[in-house]
Amino acid sequence: MMRLRPRSLLIAALAGLLAGCAGKVPITTTIPDPLVEALPLTVGVVYESDFSQYTYTEKATGTDWSINLGDSTTRMFDRVLSKAFAKVVQLDAVPSEGQTEAGVDLVLKPSVDEYAFLTPEDSGVDFYSVSIRFQLQAFGPNGVPLDQWDINSYGRTRSKALSAKDSLGAATDLALRDAAATMALDFKQRPQIRALLPAGSGT
Amino acid sequence: MRKLRVVVRRLGAGVVSFVTACMVAGCVTARLEESRQSTATSSIQAGEAVVLLTRHQSNARETERSFANCVVDDLGSGADALSTKSEQEFMDGLFPWFEPRVAPTTAEQLPKLLAQPGVAQRISDSGVRYVIWIDGETQTVDGGGTISCDLLGFGCVGFQWWQRDSSYEASIWDLKTGTAAGIISADVSGTSYMPAIVIPIPLIARTKAAACHGLAKQLKDFLVLAPSVE
């Protein structure tokens, strides 16, 4: 039977305390269904592992911040795309040139270009703020690049309302919601995507 | 061009009201102004609700959640209670049209928003007739004095004071007509004192609470009692 010495217990307790102090930021984003008219297109979406497992880490103000965005961003894109387009299918990769993905009008590949945050100590104002820049690449079903654009989003929360981790998490949630709002209305505005719409679709 | 008539009413019966109440808690000066903008505004009807939304666009300021909650609580209570919808529920149901980056900034943009597919129907289903945009915040603008404690075991000695300004504006939009109905503003300033003889005794001027209650009362008067302006 294993016997624990007081010294081992002390080390275990300290390790537990240190783990508790690490800045693992909780992300609990819930994106509502966008109230937009779906474009009559079938979209293939490619989530590469850099995107679907994206985690931002930074050592700032004495804390090792760790912000796991991958799950939330993937869910956010799923939610928006499912309402912005008539049909969405997930693809493993963008079709290479010469190959054609049957039954797909458009292929989208999102990536997180930049994540940044400011604490009240950084900015001198009473807010935690977060900015995220996504990049969206659009391809034809044959892998030919069609379009590429950035979505810049922003969120912030008052620092007094929650703990530092929760404040940063809430600001990140708002930034993701902001990105979703922008994206939901963006597709209809892109000329290269509009050019794919069937004639007389009325959108 | 739509004719815009502005009626400024005094809280109670005149043009502008200055209410000064120096109570035990501290000295508070409140000023409320109402401006009626629409000729088509009518009282809120049974089955119609209001929703209070806060602006998030400004970089340096943002209305406190506690203030918005206070106004909503006041609107929804009392004999003349209004039916209120939750901000989150309303914004979720109409996502993304009332998000900070997308929401209309002026009532003139309302017709374009209401023309978007599904938006007018969703608003109608929610029962919301009026959107009330709240903007403003409470700031400490001045202060001074010092208090020293633990002086040879005799507790605290000294005097501190600070002045707070609570300045808020409520813009009322009528979603039924797609027009601005009016604007109500509340500016409350007050000085809090804290003399300390052995123990500190705070005499707090509750400017934010005064602004909340004043604004909510005026909103109720505006939406329930206001006659049509022709």
Side-chain angles (χ1 to χ4, degrees), chain A residues 30-37 79-80 125-127 152-154 156-158 160 174 176-182 184-185 188, chain B residues 55-65 88 91-97 99-102 116-119 122 136-137 164:
Chain A
T30 304
I31 304 295
D33 283 336
L35 182 59
V36 292
E37 208 171 27
R79 177 62 61 95
V80 173
V125 294
D126 186 27
F127 292 97
N152 292 292
S153 63
Y154 177 76
R156 69 175 184 176
T157 50
R158 279 187 184 274
K160 286 176 186 166
L174 290 175
L176 289 173
R177 186 174 170 119
D178 186 35
T182 305
L185 302 174
K188 208 173 169 180
Chain B
R55 290 280 185 198
H56 299 277
Q57 279 98 341
S58 170
N59 281 329
R61 45 185 278 181
E62 185 173 303
T63 303
E64 305 89 348
R65 173 60 40 204
Q88 193 65 53
M91 287 181 65
D92 284 355
L94 284 153
F95 184 81
W97 299 106
E99 295 302 301
R101 195 184 294 270
V102 182
Q116 295 295 332
V119 170
R122 187 68 60 90
E137 64 177 350
R164 283 193 152 185

Side-chain angles (χ1 to χ4, degrees), chain A residues 131-154:
Chain A
S131 62
I132 309 174
R133 185 166 66 233
F134 293 97
Q135 190 179 75
L136 264 170
Q137 289 176 280
F139 304 87
N142 53 0
V144 173
L146 293 179
D147 197 3
Q148 176 179 309
W149 72 100
D150 291 341
I151 293 171
N152 292 292
S153 63
Y154 177 76

Side-chain angles (χ1 to χ4, degrees), chain B residues 161-179:
Chain B
W161 65 276
W162 59 94
Q163 186 187 336
R164 283 193 152 185
D165 285 356
S166 298
S167 182
Y168 298 91
E169 187 177 270
S171 301
I172 306 151
W173 292 359
D174 187 343
L175 296 178
K176 194 170 176 181
T177 60
T179 58

Side-chain angles (χ1 to χ4, degrees), chain B residues 38-229:
Chain B
S38 174
T39 55
T41 304
S42 60
S43 301
I44 194 165
Q45 305 296 309
E48 294 177 338
V50 301
V51 64
L52 191 140
L53 306 177
T54 50
R55 290 280 185 198
H56 299 277
Q57 279 98 341
S58 170
N59 281 329
R61 45 185 278 181
E62 185 173 303
T63 303
E64 305 89 348
R65 173 60 40 204
S66 59
F67 182 82
N69 290 342
C70 172
V71 175
V72 170
D73 288 347
D74 273 19
L75 289 177
S77 60
D80 51 355
L82 299 177
S83 172
T84 60
K85 294 285 179 186
S86 125
E87 176 180 20
Q88 193 65 53
E89 199 179 310
F90 182 78
M91 287 181 65
D92 284 355
L94 284 153
F95 184 81
W97 299 106
F98 282 88
E99 295 302 301
R101 195 184 294 270
V102 182
T105 51
T106 65
E108 282 70 34
Q109 296 168 346
L110 269 178
K112 191 178 172 190
L113 169 65
L114 296 171
Q116 295 295 332
V119 170
Q121 185 59 49
R122 187 68 60 90
I123 288 173
S124 173
D125 293 346
S126 74
V128 170
R129 164 84 184 272
Y130 292 102
V131 163
I132 302 168
W133 286 103
I134 294 282
D135 200 3
E137 64 177 350
T138 294
Q139 290 180 306
T140 302
V141 294
D142 203 1
T146 55
I147 293 176
S148 300
C149 293
D150 277 339
L151 294 173
L152 303 173
F154 288 105
C156 300
V157 174
F159 180 78
Q160 272 192 324
W161 65 276
W162 59 94
Q163 186 187 336
R164 283 193 152 185
D165 285 356
S166 298
S167 182
Y168 298 91
E169 187 177 270
S171 301
I172 306 151
W173 292 359
D174 187 343
L175 296 178
K176 194 170 176 181
T177 60
T179 58
I183 295 174
I184 296 171
S185 63
D187 292 293
V188 180
S189 66
T191 306
S192 299
Y193 306 98
M194 190 153 68
I197 303 169
V198 182
I199 56 165
I201 302 165
L203 305 171
I204 307 293
R206 303 194 180 281
T207 57
K208 196 196 289 185
C212 159
H213 302 318
L215 195 64
K217 182 183 182 307
Q218 197 75 353
L219 279 167
K220 280 183 176 175
D221 290 349
F222 186 98
L223 294 171
V224 177
L225 304 175
S228 297
V229 179

